[in-house]
């Protein structure tokens, strides 16, 4: 039996005609970049998050980059973030000439540890950039409190967490602005790249709109040096269809997570994910810790089960960030997580037989270790 880590074909099979009609409508209109479809979808996502503005951009990475640009982040500024995340959280800071300050994570949720953030704040701190990893939000109250006391902005990297809630409020609405990715493997994925910034701050939203379109409010008049990063109408049309299913898909993932939680937590050498009190996760990834993680990964692969390491090298130890002076041992909790964690198939369409197969194979391997 083969169980893929993510099977987008089974998702597509359920909504094929709606998606194809939506794409066809855009083709008939020949209106491809921004425009009414994108505006409508911006309003939908903002409304879903409970904020006033959405700004559609070309990717989640650009949503982060543009948010930092809109704050005026540049050389001399520091941005506090986590090393245990996708590359572009940190590269967006570097690209603007600012300094990423990476601090360690919470060992249970894998999200940035607010206590560590407190110790890293300096007079140069421009922003805090927490990541809502794997589908659950960071401990935002403590981060927001620290930030507001010192006039520091908070940008949420919510690329893996659209629809997740923290004390009843949606990811993306918890800081000054939130960044989403519509990369195909996210819970809300397009048929290509896409992203969005959501915020309640009108001026910030207006700056983001200007910056995503070469820095001009009026065509051929450029106030600042922006970039080309716009959401296109085909993505917006596809995403608008999928948006209707998002909550159902995410609750299907939570049901699968409950199953694994029940079935895997008794196995020696496996720790299942911890969802902090007050959080509802969308389980973009279902990540366990395992004794002999690399052996387990090999074994599952040999038995046709897709699994992946997110992320094998924490960003403070990446070659491209060596100029920051990060060393092995600096951020031990993130480094340990990178050696022990493994993501398992969690998508909604998994069948009972497939889940049971994943469970059985993990059990067989772990029992063989003793
Ligand atoms: C996917 C992701 C991004 C980048 O999104 P893209 O749309 O691929 O550019 C940034 N941060 C995190 C945490 C992500 O998971």
């Amino acid at each position: 039996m083969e169980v893929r880590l993510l099977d987008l074909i089974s998702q597509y099979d359920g909504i094929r005609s709606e998606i194809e009609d939506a794409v066809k409508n855009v083709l008939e209109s020949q209106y491809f970049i921004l425009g009414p479809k994108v505006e409508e979808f911006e309003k939908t996502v903002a409304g879903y998050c409970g904020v006033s503005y959405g700004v559609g951009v070309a990717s989640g990475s650009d949503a982060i980059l543009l948010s930092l640009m809109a704050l005026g982040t540049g050389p001399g500024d520091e941005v506090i973030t986590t090393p245990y995340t996708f590359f572009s959280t940190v590269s967006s800071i570097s690209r603007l000439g600012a300094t990423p300050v990476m601090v360690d994570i919470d060992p249970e949720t894998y999200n940035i540890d607010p206590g560590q953030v407190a110790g890293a704040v300096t007079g140069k701190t421009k922003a805090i950039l927490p990541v809502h990893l794997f589908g659950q939000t960071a401990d935002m109250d403590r981060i927001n409190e620290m930030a507001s006391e010192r006039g520091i902005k908070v940008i949420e990297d919510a690329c893996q967490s659209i629809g997740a809630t923290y004390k009843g409020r949606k990811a993306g609405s918890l800081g000054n602005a939130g960044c989403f990715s519509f990369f195909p493997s996210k819970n809300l994925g397009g048929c290509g790249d896409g992203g969005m910034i959501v915020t309640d701050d009108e001026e910030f939203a207006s700056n983001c709109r200007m910056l995503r379109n070469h820095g001009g409010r009026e065509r051929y008049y450029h106030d600042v040096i922006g970039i080309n990063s716009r959401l296109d109408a085909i993505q917006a049309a596809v995403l608008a269809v999928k948006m209707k299913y998002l909550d159902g898909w995410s609750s299907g993932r939570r049901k699968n997570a409950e199953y694994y939680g029940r079935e895997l937590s008794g196995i020696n050498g496996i720790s299942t994910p911890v969802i902090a009190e007050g959080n509802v996760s969308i389980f973009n990834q279902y990540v366990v810790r395992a004794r002999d993680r690399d052996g387990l990964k090999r074994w599952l692969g040999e038995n046709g089960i897709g699994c992946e390491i997110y992320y094998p090298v924490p960003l403070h130890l990446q070659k491209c960030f060596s100029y920051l002076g990060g060393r092995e041992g600096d951020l031990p909790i993130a480094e340990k997580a990178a050696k022990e964690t493994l993501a398992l198939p969690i998508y909604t369409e998994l069948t009972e037989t497939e889940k049971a197969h994943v469970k059985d194979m993990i059990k067989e391997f772990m029992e063989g270790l003793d």
Side-chain angles (χ1 to χ4, degrees), residues 324-358:
L324 295 167
R327 295 262 181 284
E328 187 107 38
D330 285 353
L331 303 171
I333 300 171
E335 290 166 27
K336 190 164 188 282
K339 293 191 178 90
E340 296 181 348
T341 56
L342 191 64
L344 305 177
I346 191 69
Y347 59 91
T348 310
E349 296 84 0
L350 277 177
T351 63
E352 295 303 317
T353 327
E354 288 168 334
K355 280 185 281 188
H357 182 59
V358 174

Side-chain angles (χ1 to χ4, degrees), residues 58-62 64 85-86 88-89 131 133 157 159-160 180-183 186 193-195 284 311:
S59 68
S61 302
D62 277 3
I64 300 167
T85 177
F86 180 66
S88 64
T89 311
V131 177
L133 202 67
D157 178 343
C159 287
Q160 295 183 7
F180 294 124
S181 164
F182 305 126
F183 186 80
K186 311 292 182 178
D193 276 311
N284 181 245
Y311 297 90

Side-chain angles (χ1 to χ4, degrees), residues 259-275:
Y259 171 88
Y260 284 142
R262 251 189 342 263
E263 301 292 330
L264 299 179
S265 56
I267 300 176
N268 225 334
I270 292 283
S271 323
T272 54
V274 174
I275 303 306

